[in-house]
Amino acid sequence: MCTAATYKTKDFYFGRTLDYEFSYGEQIAVTPRNYPFHFRHMGDVAKHYAIIGMAHVAADYPLYYDAVNEKGVGMAGLNFVGNAYFPEVTEGKENVASFEFIPWVLGQCANMKEVRALLAKINITGTPFAENMPAASLHWIIADADEAVTVESMKDGLKIYDNPAGVMTNNPPFDQQMFLLNNYRGLSPRQPENHFSEKLPLECYSRGMGALGLPGDLSSASRFARVAFTKMNSVSGDSEEESVGQFFHILGSVEQQRGCCEVAEGKYEITIYTSCCNATKGIYYYTTYTNRQITAVDMHREDLDGSGLIHYPMLEKEQILRQN
Ligand SMILES: C[C@H](CCC(=O)NCCS(=O)(=O)O)[C@H]1CC[C@H]2[C@@H]3CC[C@@H]4C[C@H](O)CC[C@]4(C)[C@H]3C[C@H](O)[C@]12C
């Protein structure tokens, strides 16, 4: 399972957790403006916006999981198993393979208005990247500082939902996730009043009782409610440290500890990494399951007019600052 979220202070932040039982081997990849993209059905694009994000790099190609571009648009792919369906190449549409979707959008859109215009023409195909790499079952969240959408390609068509919560997890489909939030409309960060019965003297015996009933488990629908509650009620200062710190706390509300989600005998899903991009400034911050110190890669410290892919390994060794 995975969770994605957006967050706005002075700058716009975008990130996700990647939860799985094994890693595909991912790196922080910067695609400079002149890296040539050869789209399978859309031809070559020689020049585009620069992109930074987490990717599996194969044959010098960035298979992005989540990324932002230099204009402040962010995008992440999360599992959507059993629901994702990618049609064949369709005439009259812009056919983009699912693994190309992030570069296709982030390479040419400066804001959500342009993203929506692009999505109106798109057909996301299941064209595999390689024979041994079939298309992953994904859905996507795309956002800028002002708005977010969720994109779900399903048997009955391509859905583009407004995403006013600016969060996303996995199944069920997004309209159902949003509907389920209705169940929690009584929750609050403030202490609750006793509406149970006037005849019973029920008390607030602890802080935090306003959110009693917010689900604590790791299921996708529960993480959706929990991250939405945490994000919508989040309060922080707007400095870079305060914003990034708070963002990691928001996604910390849904992190997965090894042992709590068994997916096969002795195999556990864990939060492999958590990312927080400052989409405004092009800085990719991350922590990993084993390295809880925040590490950053800044796209603007690279030559963005270059043509070669730049990538950094994920630093996974725990860093402990010794105080004495
Ligand atoms: C496994 C991950 C989702 C984790 C998740 O959500 N786990 C919950 C399981 S569950 O929902 O609870 O069942 C997803 C998220 C992004 C994906 C890559 C995207 C690029 C590329 C696309 C190609 O087409 C196939 C290979 C490729 C490298 C993909 C591999 C893999 O698929 C990645 C890592």
Side-chain angles (χ1 to χ4, degrees):
M1 291 159 269
C2 303
T3 307
T6 64
Y7 191 55
K8 179 107 199 294
T9 58
K10 206 157 68 304
D11 287 345
F12 174 57
Y13 298 85
F14 180 93
R16 62 100 56 81
T17 56
L18 183 113
D19 308 328
Y20 217 51
E21 62 276 20
F22 65 87
S23 163
Y24 284 76
E26 44 272 342
Q27 316 202 25
I28 301 85
V30 178
T31 306
R33 293 172 192 127
N34 295 304
Y35 170 93
F37 276 117
H38 309 292
F39 289 94
R40 295 292 166 95
H41 314 291
M42 297 303 296
D44 294 346
V45 172
K47 204 170 166 55
H48 48 76
Y49 295 135
I51 301 169
I52 184 168
M54 196 65 87
H56 174 69
V57 178
D60 204 39
Y61 186 89
L63 288 160
Y64 279 115
Y65 307 2
D66 53 273
V68 300
N69 69 11
E70 59 180 303
K71 296 292 178 184
V73 183
M75 188 164 171
L78 283 73
N79 258 8
F80 193 43
V81 176
N83 284 305
Y85 171 83
F86 302 118
E88 297 290 308
V89 169
T90 309
E91 197 148 340
K93 290 271 179 191
E94 293 185 343
N95 292 286
V96 176
S98 58
F99 70 84
E100 300 171 331
F101 190 29
I102 291 182
W104 177 252
V105 171
L106 296 189
Q108 51 188 323
C109 298
N111 53 50
M112 283 309 292
K113 197 165 161 268
E114 295 181 13
V115 171
R116 283 178 191 275
L118 202 69
L119 293 178
K121 301 178 279 186
I122 206 171
N123 177 47
I124 306 171
T125 74
T127 315
F129 175 73
E131 226 168 88
N132 61 352
M133 211 183 271
S137 293
L138 302 174
H139 60 167
W140 293 267
I141 177 171
I142 314 176
D144 65 10
D146 300 320
E147 52 171 331
V149 298
T150 289
V151 178
E152 299 189 328
S153 184
M154 297 175 59
K155 264 244 155 67
D156 58 345
L158 183 71
K159 320 285 172 68
I160 295 149
Y161 297 107
D162 289 344
N163 184 336
V167 299
M168 197 174 90
T169 60
N170 308 103
N171 286 340
F174 187 75
D175 50 343
Q176 294 179 50
Q177 293 278 30
M178 283 305 288
F179 179 80
L180 290 172
L181 281 189
N182 288 319
N183 293 343
Y184 304 105
R185 76 189 288 269
L187 302 196
S188 158
R190 275 164 235 108
Q191 289 294 50
E193 312 247 312
N194 175 17
H195 296 300
F196 191 93
S197 165
E198 279 168 15
K199 299 184 198 98
L200 291 177
L202 301 179
E203 282 169 32
C204 274
Y205 61 86
S206 159
R207 289 182 172 184
M209 289 177 71
L212 203 58
L214 187 65
D217 69 278
L218 292 175
S219 70
S220 174
S222 293
R223 281 181 291 107
F224 191 94
R226 199 157 69 246
V227 75
F229 181 83
T230 311
K231 182 234 157 131
M232 298 311 285
N233 289 299
S234 214
V235 176
S236 75
D238 63 6
S239 70
E240 186 71 348
E241 288 79 8
E242 289 165 300
S243 307
V244 172
Q246 182 74 4
F247 191 90
F248 279 103
H249 283 302
I250 293 169
L251 286 183
S253 72
V254 288
E255 84 177 3
Q256 302 197 189
Q257 301 81 5
R258 185 182 294 114
C260 295
C261 176
E262 190 172 29
V263 294
E265 182 68 36
K267 284 219 167 84
Y268 301 96
E269 188 166 299
I270 60 168
T271 299
I272 294 176
Y273 73 81
T274 305
S275 65
C276 165
C277 300
N278 180 329
T280 314
K281 295 203 168 76
I283 306 172
Y284 194 98
Y285 298 91
Y286 69 92
T287 61
T288 79
Y289 195 81
T290 48
N291 179 12
R292 295 160 59 80
Q293 174 172 311
I294 298 170
T295 307
V297 179
D298 181 344
M299 67 149 71
H300 294 288
R301 294 172 73 99
E302 304 294 338
D303 174 15
L304 293 183
D305 286 320
S307 61
L309 193 67
I310 300 144
H311 44 89
Y312 289 92
M314 202 157 73
L315 298 182
E316 297 196 72
K317 193 170 165 355
E318 189 69 82
Q319 318 269 330
I320 294 172
L321 180 66
R322 298 193 188 274
Q323 223 186 334
N324 68 1

